[in-house]
Amino acid sequence: MSTRFLSSVMLSAVLLAPRVGHAEQPVKLPSWSQQIALREGWLAKRHEMILPMMRRHNIDMWVVVNEEFHNDPLTEYIAPPRPYTGNRDIFVFIDTGTALRKVAITGYAEENVNRFFDEEDDPKPADQQLAALYQQYHPKRIGLSIDAKRGVQRSLTRDSYQFLAKSMGGDAESHFVSAADLIEEYSDTRLPEEFETYRMLVAMTDQITRRAFSNEVIHPGKTTVGDVRRWLYDAMGNAGVTTWFQQDIRVQRKGSTNGMSRGFLGVAPESTVIEPGDLLHVDFGITAMGFSTDWQKMAYVLRPGEKDVPAGLKQALKNTNALQEELMTDSRPGKLAGEVYNEIMAAMTKRGIEAKVYSHPIGFQGHGLGAALDYRAALQGASEGKRLRKGSYLSIELNTTTAVPEWGGQKVFVMEEDDAYLTEEGFRTFLPRQTSFYLIRPS
């Protein structure tokens, strides 16, 4: 079955599934075999990108090692997304000078791996194959997942490092370098063919969130935060997805002091009973088909007799919407992330909006690699040299703090997170942003 056909099938599922209301048809994942076929179609296109990327980053040989019981986070993105059960399964990409050679040194031969790599039906020992490759090509720079700040870029274990050095022999170890920049570009580059699948996963995340923040799940005065968290776990399990980020739920209440954690509003204890008048927030994401989403939305629990959200809370949400719009419109491909961040904060200061931005790349990982629009990166200078990449995905994560008159001037956090993609005109979200609170009615 072609990847084009599969993409159109999934697009139809997203478009046909209503996004509002409790009787909506749930977005469903393709069958597992269809998922594998689709991802292997993407892999063929990804392999076409590797040689130009290796040359841009001055890497002659790129080696990824997958260990039994300790899968490398890159494996499912550079090789077919299947189980690898050898003691060490090694994937080698070589710039031969005229083409890219791809070699899989695995414990067990696999037909689907052989479609993408040179792989022996009766594999010779890994040390022999590595030594032969090094002697044949004499690469000057051998890129490994070492010497980097992020886990996916520094995933090579000490024992596997030593095994590579010993097996290749000679002076091979002196040619080992960090492949961090190559890994970042590879991970942050999205294929057009992936778009509809990711939008489907965002739509599924949205559906689960809307149900969780509704009277289907929450019965004010009875339901606890823990009840909602457990429901979310079960909903994800029923949908055939896992969670990359545990579902954190926050509760803001008139007259109550909010606990803080590392500069953010603290997560509510699971024993907290949700009451009328509460302002609720959820932060979580799902993982499926090699992608992760990240999502934050807010709901208000109406008090008896209330028909709508207090005006002060509405204004608080409008402030966060304004912050979102500023980020989306200031961003452009090629602009420095630090420059964009400074523009956003200057605009908010001018408007008198108390804002915090901590947006991050997303895609293969929930906290992906690439240019972040994040106050921590700006403070550390980590975003100054990174440019926004057209087509990359960003989780637009941020908040504003607003004094609410109806709550006696108490400050309220409105936290939102939407997954988006970068165009020439700025970021566009996969689904419409939240511009009104989800409403939960009193029992």
Side-chain angles (χ1 to χ4, degrees), residues 303-367:
R303 297 177 183 274
E306 273 187 330
K307 298 185 184 301
D308 203 356
V309 180
L313 291 179
K314 287 184 177 181
Q315 182 58 52
L317 179 54
K318 286 181 180 179
N319 288 345
T320 295
N321 290 154
L323 176 58
Q324 291 173 312
E325 290 161 9
E326 191 68 38
L327 184 152
M328 294 167 68
T329 55
D330 286 351
S331 300
R332 291 290 188 280
K335 289 183 71 171
L336 289 169
E339 174 188 345
V340 174
Y341 174 81
N342 291 334
E343 290 175 2
I344 296 165
M345 298 310 294
M348 292 299 101
T349 298
K350 186 175 181 179
R351 296 180 62 167
I353 296 176
E354 187 177 340
K356 181 175 282 190
V357 175
Y358 35 100
S359 303
H360 54 83
I362 196 165
F364 290 164
Q365 291 85 26
H367 288 161

Side-chain angles (χ1 to χ4, degrees), residues 36-104:
I36 292 173
L38 186 57
R39 294 183 64 184
E40 289 184 349
W42 299 338
L43 183 63
K45 293 184 176 295
R46 287 201 158 274
H47 278 188
E48 294 173 2
M49 305 186 311
I50 290 178
L51 184 57
M53 288 185 182
M54 287 176 63
R55 289 177 175 175
R56 277 196 291 275
H57 297 288
N58 196 22
I59 299 292
D60 303 304
M61 178 183 285
W62 182 23
V63 183
V64 176
V65 181
N66 194 79
E67 295 187 25
E68 185 181 20
F69 309 123
H70 188 69
N71 288 335
D72 189 280
L74 275 175
T75 300
E76 64 176 306
Y77 305 109
I78 54 91
R82 295 171 178 271
Y84 293 93
T85 55
N87 180 40
R88 281 193 181 96
D89 293 297
I90 303 169
F91 304 93
V92 186
F93 300 91
I94 307 155
D95 182 354
T96 67
T98 58
L100 178 70
R101 186 181 177 195
K102 301 173 293 180
V103 179

Side-chain angles (χ1 to χ4, degrees), residues 11 14 21 54 60 70 106 125 162 225 249 287 294 318 333 337 344 378 390 392 408 435 442-443:
L11 171 59
V14 174
M54 287 176 63
D60 303 304
H70 188 69
T106 59
Q162 293 177 335
V225 165
I249 295 176
T287 296
D294 213 355
K318 286 181 180 179
I344 296 165
K390 183 179 178 180
S392 64
T435 55
S443 299

Side-chain angles (χ1 to χ4, degrees), residues 142-194:
I142 303 171
L144 304 177
S145 300
I146 57 174
D147 299 333
K149 293 183 178 180
R150 303 294 300 279
V152 68
Q153 297 167 300
R154 63 179 186 213
S155 53
L156 187 69
T157 66
R158 175 177 175 273
D159 282 355
S160 283
Y161 178 97
Q162 293 177 335
F163 176 78
L164 293 176
K166 181 179 179 180
S167 298
M168 290 184 180
D171 63 346
E173 186 177 5
S174 66
H175 298 281
F176 289 175
V177 298
S178 173
D181 291 340
L182 169 62
I183 293 168
E184 178 166 314
E185 183 180 0
Y186 187 80
S187 300
D188 190 40
T189 301
R190 300 274 66 80
L191 298 174
E193 292 82 1
E194 298 169 338

Side-chain angles (χ1 to χ4, degrees), residues 46 77 150 184-191 194 198-199 201-202 205 244-245 283-288 290-296 358-373 389 391-397 417-422 427-430:
R46 287 201 158 274
Y77 305 109
R150 303 294 300 279
E184 178 166 314
E185 183 180 0
Y186 187 80
S187 300
D188 190 40
T189 301
R190 300 274 66 80
L191 298 174
E194 298 169 338
Y198 195 77
R199 185 161 72 142
L201 297 177
V202 174
T205 310
W244 97 267
F245 188 85
D283 179 1
F284 85 111
I286 67 172
T287 296
F291 286 114
S292 293
T293 66
D294 213 355
W295 207 239
Q296 294 184 39
Y358 35 100
S359 303
H360 54 83
I362 196 165
F364 290 164
Q365 291 85 26
H367 288 161
L369 301 177
L373 299 175
R389 194 191 314 274
S392 64
Y393 297 174
L394 186 82
S395 209
I396 300 175
E397 186 178 15
E417 186 168 15
D418 289 90
D419 298 328
Y421 56 98
L422 187 59
F427 277 106
R428 299 287 183 268
T429 55
F430 285 91

